[in-house]
Amino acid sequence: NKIGVIFDLDGVIVDTAKYHYLAWKELADDLGFEFTEKHNELLKGVSRVRSLEILLGIGNISISEEKKQEYLVSKNEEYLGYITKMGANEILPGASELLDALDNVGIKYVLGSASKNAPLILKQIGLYDRFAGIVDGNSVSKAKPDPEVFLIGAEKLNLTPKQCVVFEDAIAGIEAAKNANMISVGIGDENTLKEADYNFNNLTEVPSDFFEKLVTLN
Ligand code: G6P
Ligand code: MG
């Protein structure tokens, strides 16, 4: 009776959505169309390439493959400008406490993120060494809702999918957890993440006996 935890990064441990938004908005501004925060919701949990395609779709713009590559690079440079200024003060409420609680009871956790910048962000906020493994956008070939990222996470934990608990803020992420046959925990709006097995508004709301109970249920 063992369990392990797989954490998404953006929207669960840190709020980088605002920086992604600013960087994508900069590109939309250059291309001459409006990109709202509501539009930005569509990009949560989605890979960088797919995000660009969605963005271009919003602006009704079609461009060459070459231009796309150029925009992917410039967007990421803009984004890096923001995340290289991040610090531990940007860890979302409850995240550090939750990792401490898991350490105390000896439950291992890994990262399962679509972001190629995940290692850098974890280093910026001082949590890099805490994880038993890191699966990020550099190590997967199929984006969420494909379960690949979480299945590799389960391997790193040396556990079966059913023994893994996934914390996610994105619809695509909850779907990926379901597709992987894992226990899913939605962090954020319950109505948006209604497919999740459990829902909390944020990590401070996770009860202290949550994992203990999961172990007995498993
Ligand atoms: C996370 C975020 C997405 C982002 C993706 C890729 O899943 O929620 O909004 O597009 O990572 O991030 P990257 O840092 O590789 O551009
Ligand atoms: Mg996320």
Side-chain angles (χ1 to χ4, degrees), residues 8-12 44-45 144 168-170:
D8 173 48
L9 178 65
D10 297 316
V12 174
K44 286 191 178 172
K144 300 169 188 177
E168 257 293 347
D169 72 311

Side-chain angles (χ1 to χ4, degrees), residues 7-156:
F7 286 102
D8 173 48
L9 178 65
D10 297 316
V12 174
I13 292 174
V14 284
D15 175 22
T16 45
K18 58 187 178 208
Y19 301 135
H20 281 295
Y21 174 65
L22 291 171
W24 285 126
K25 191 173 158 33
E26 174 96 14
L27 176 60
D29 284 348
D30 287 348
L31 294 171
F33 65 91
E34 176 130 52
F35 178 67
T36 65
E37 293 205 37
K38 201 163 176 209
H39 286 139
N40 194 53
E41 284 299 310
L42 302 171
L43 310 188
K44 286 191 178 172
V46 173
S47 72
R48 194 182 306 171
V49 180
R50 184 75 195 112
S51 295
L52 177 63
E53 283 164 3
I54 295 171
L55 183 99
L56 294 172
I58 292 165
N60 227 327
I61 285 171
S62 65
I63 50 164
S64 68
E65 217 30 64
E66 210 179 354
K67 263 279 176 238
K68 274 189 198 170
Q69 290 310 320
E70 198 181 294
Y71 290 155
L72 287 172
V73 171
S74 59
K75 183 268 171 180
N76 197 53
E77 277 171 1
E78 184 75 18
Y79 180 62
L80 283 172
Y82 295 108
I83 61 172
T84 49
K85 291 190 193 80
M86 286 179 82
N89 60 320
E90 292 194 53
I91 298 172
L92 284 173
S96 296
E97 293 81 355
L98 191 60
L99 299 189
D100 289 346
L102 290 169
D103 288 345
N104 286 336
V105 292
I107 295 176
K108 280 192 181 172
Y109 45 88
V110 296
L111 194 84
S113 166
S115 172
K116 295 186 173 178
N117 293 302
L120 172 63
I121 295 168
L122 285 180
K123 281 174 194 158
Q124 289 286 136
I125 60 173
L127 293 181
Y128 185 82
D129 296 320
R130 302 281 301 266
F131 289 81
I134 288 168
V135 191
D136 61 31
N138 303 295
S139 37
V140 295
S141 57
K142 288 168 257 163
K144 300 169 188 177
D146 189 282
E148 185 185 20
V149 57
F150 295 145
L151 292 173
I152 301 174
E155 278 173 28
K156 290 200 187 271

